[in-house]
Amino acid sequence: MLVKAGCQLLTVHGRTREMKGPTTGVADWNSIKKVKEAISIPVFSNGNLQYYADVQRCLDETGVDGVMSAEGNLYNPSIFEDKDPPASWEMSDEYLSIVEKYPCSLSFVRGHLFKLWHKSLEVHCDLRILMARAKSIAALTEVCQELKERGLKDKKLMEECGKREKVPYWICQPYIRPSPEVTAKRKLEKNRKRPLLTELDGQIDLTLSRKQQKRQVRQPHKNFKEKGMKFSPCLECGNPKGLKCIFDLCKACCKRKAHKAMVDCVGHNLLFKTKMERRLIWEANQKLKTEQKEDCNGTNCDKEKGSKDEKDAPLGDKGDDNKEKLNSETKQDLCETDDTNLTMKSGTHENIQKEETVNKEPILDQELKANNK
C-alpha cells in the first residue's frame, strides 16, 4: 500500500506500538527481514544498535540497505566510527563548542549531557544534582569540567593499580534497557515492601486488622493488641463510649436515648432539654407580645371612637364654652384694632401740628418785617 502511494524509502523499527517505556524490550530483526523481502524499495533498519559492530551484524541478518540509530547515537555520538568508544569528556567538550556556535534551549543541552555522562553520573551522584539544578550553559560547563577531572583521576589510579575493568564508567557506552520480564519482576518487588497476606502462610494473628497484620510481618516482636489508650465499650453497640456520657453510651446511641427521654448529655454536647425549655420560653414571650399588641390596638380604637363622638355631639355646655372662646377672641381682635387706630390718629395729629408750625413761621417773619418799617 505504501509503495503504491509513492513511498520511495521505508524505515522499519522492529518493535510494536505497545513496546515502549519499561516494556520496550529488544527489536525483532526477523520482522524487518520479512518486510525487506516483501517490497522492492530500499529499506532501513532501526533498533538494537548499541556499538559499531552491531551495524554490520544488522545488515547481514536482515539484508536491509541501511541502518538508523536513535538512543545509541545519543549515548555515543561516535557509534558509526570504526574505533573504540571515546571518553565522555571528549564528546561533551565537542558538543559544548557546537552549542556556543549554535545556541539552543538549556533543557536540550542538559538532556544531551545527561546522556553523554549517564554512567559517570551514576558514580558521582552529587554532580548529577548540580547538573539538574544548573541554570546556564556556564554552570553546565563547570559540572562537565569537574566530571572530567574526577574521571582523569580515577583513570590514572586504575592504570597505576593495573586493574582493568571491562568498560570504565568514563567511557561512552549505551544504556541497555532491561527486558520486560526483569522490569515486571522489579515492579513486583517494589510492591512487596508490605508482603501480601496470601503469602504469609498463617504466620500472623487474624484477629488484627489488615494494617496491623502487615506491620506484624515487619515487626514480629511487637505486640499490636495492646493500645496506648483503652476505652470502655458502649453498653448497646460495643463502640467506645463517651468519657462523660450520662448513659455510658457512644454518641450515636446517646443521641437516640437522650432525644427519646428529652434530657441533656453534656459529654456529647446534646442539649435536648435546654433547647425545649428555650423554645417554650420563646413561645410564651411571643404570645405576650401578640396580646400586648392586641390591647394597644383596642385602646387606640376607643380613643378614635371618643373623638368621633365629640365631633358628632350636640351643642350643650361645650357649645357655650366654644361661644365664650369665640367672644373672647373677637374682643381681643377689637382691642387690637382700636390700639392701631389710636396710634394712627396720634400719628396724624402730630403731623398736622408740624405742618401748622411750618406754615406759621413765614407769616410771623412777614409781620416782624412790617413792624420794622
Side-chain angles (χ1 to χ4, degrees):
M1 183 176 68
L2 292 171
V3 176
K4 289 180 181 180
C7 179
Q8 297 179 359
L9 188 147
L10 182 66
T11 301
V12 182
H13 189 69
R15 293 184 177 91
T16 60
R17 186 173 62 179
E18 290 77 15
M19 296 173 69
K20 57 185 177 181
T23 60
T24 300
V26 181
D28 187 5
W29 284 356
N30 292 325
S31 300
I32 299 172
K33 184 179 180 181
K34 290 177 182 178
V35 173
K36 173 59 183 173
E37 293 172 354
I39 59 177
S40 58
I41 61 173
V43 177
F44 280 18
S45 173
N46 188 9
N48 298 348
L49 296 179
Q50 307 293 341
Y51 297 97
Y52 178 76
D54 296 332
V55 176
Q56 190 60 42
R57 188 165 62 87
C58 179
L59 292 172
D60 295 339
E61 291 187 14
T62 59
V64 294
D65 303 293
V67 294
M68 298 182 72
S69 177
E71 284 192 346
N73 195 20
L74 290 172
Y75 289 99
N76 180 17
S78 65
I79 188 172
F80 294 111
E81 294 183 4
D82 188 9
K83 65 177 185 179
D84 293 334
S88 298
W89 54 79
E90 295 177 11
M91 294 290 100
S92 67
D93 291 344
E94 185 178 352
Y95 174 68
L96 289 171
S97 65
I98 295 170
V99 170
E100 288 180 1
K101 292 181 181 179
Y102 308 101
C104 62
S105 177
L106 183 66
S107 59
F108 298 163
V109 179
R110 185 186 287 110
H112 282 293
L113 291 175
F114 266 116
K115 296 284 194 304
L116 294 172
W117 291 101
H118 82 103
K119 278 291 180 183
S120 300
L121 293 172
E122 288 178 2
V123 177
H124 306 289
C125 298
D126 56 334
L127 296 178
R128 183 185 183 88
I129 296 168
L130 291 176
M131 185 176 285
R133 293 177 179 175
K135 302 295 183 182
S136 62
I137 302 294
L140 290 172
T141 306
E142 290 178 4
V143 176
C144 293
Q145 189 63 31
E146 182 65 24
L147 284 167
K148 181 179 178 180
E149 291 175 1
R150 293 187 186 184
L152 289 170
K153 189 176 180 181
D154 292 341
K155 182 180 179 182
K156 188 177 180 180
L157 288 171
M158 189 186 71
E159 289 174 354
E160 290 175 356
C161 296
K163 293 181 181 180
R164 177 72 179 177
E165 296 180 4
K166 290 182 179 180
V167 181
Y169 72 84
W170 58 82
I171 298 296
C172 288
Q173 48 192 297
Y175 171 69
I176 300 172
R177 292 178 179 274
S179 63
E181 293 79 11
V182 174
T183 53
K185 190 175 180 181
R186 288 177 182 174
K187 191 175 181 180
L188 186 63
E189 287 175 357
K190 286 182 180 179
N191 293 335
R192 288 181 181 178
K193 288 181 179 179
R194 294 181 178 181
L196 300 174
L197 300 177
T198 55
E199 299 180 1
L200 299 176
D201 298 329
Q203 299 176 3
I204 55 175
D205 188 359
L206 296 176
T207 59
L208 301 174
S209 64
R210 189 180 179 85
K211 192 174 182 179
Q212 288 175 342
Q213 289 172 2
K214 290 179 179 180
R215 287 180 178 177
Q216 192 180 28
V217 174
R218 289 179 291 168
Q219 301 173 357
H221 302 292
K222 187 176 178 179
N223 187 5
F224 290 92
K225 289 186 177 181
E226 293 182 0
K227 296 182 180 180
M229 292 183 69
K230 294 182 179 179
F231 297 96
S232 52
C234 175
L235 298 177
E236 292 186 4
C237 62
N239 290 326
K241 71 171 186 177
L243 297 175
K244 297 180 181 180
C245 181
I246 59 173
F247 301 114
D248 291 334
L249 300 175
C250 64
K251 188 168 184 178
C253 299
C254 179
K255 188 175 182 179
R256 289 194 298 268
K257 193 167 183 179
H259 185 267
K260 192 174 181 180
M262 274 299 161
V263 293
D264 294 342
C265 179
V266 181
H268 287 123
N269 197 20
L270 301 172
L271 308 174
F272 294 108
K273 185 179 178 181
T274 55
K275 287 180 180 179
M276 179 58 74
E277 290 175 353
R278 289 173 185 172
R279 183 182 174 184
L280 293 172
I281 293 167
W282 180 82
E283 288 179 352
N285 290 331
Q286 291 295 321
K287 192 174 181 181
L288 285 171
K289 287 179 181 179
T290 53
E291 289 177 356
Q292 288 175 359
K293 285 181 180 179
E294 290 176 356
D295 294 338
C296 292
N297 292 330
T299 53
N300 290 329
C301 291
D302 294 338
K303 287 180 180 179
E304 289 176 358
K305 286 180 181 178
S307 62
K308 286 181 181 179
D309 294 337
E310 288 176 357
K311 288 178 181 179
D312 298 334
L315 293 173
D317 299 332
K318 198 167 188 179
D320 299 336
D321 295 334
N322 291 330
K323 283 181 180 180
E324 291 177 359
K325 285 181 180 179
L326 289 170
N327 293 326
S328 62
E329 288 177 358
T330 51
K331 286 178 181 179
Q332 288 178 0
D333 294 334
L334 292 170
C335 293
E336 288 177 357
T337 51
D338 294 336
D339 294 334
T340 52
N341 292 325
L342 289 170
T343 52
M344 288 291 287
K345 287 178 180 178
S346 61
T348 52
H349 184 68
E350 288 175 357
N351 291 328
I352 291 165
Q353 287 179 351
K354 286 180 180 179
E355 288 177 356
E356 289 178 353
T357 53
V358 169
N359 293 324
K360 284 179 180 180
E361 284 179 355
I363 295 167
L364 292 171
D365 291 334
Q366 290 177 1
E367 290 178 353
L368 288 170
K369 285 179 181 181
N371 292 324
N372 289 326
K373 287 179 180 182

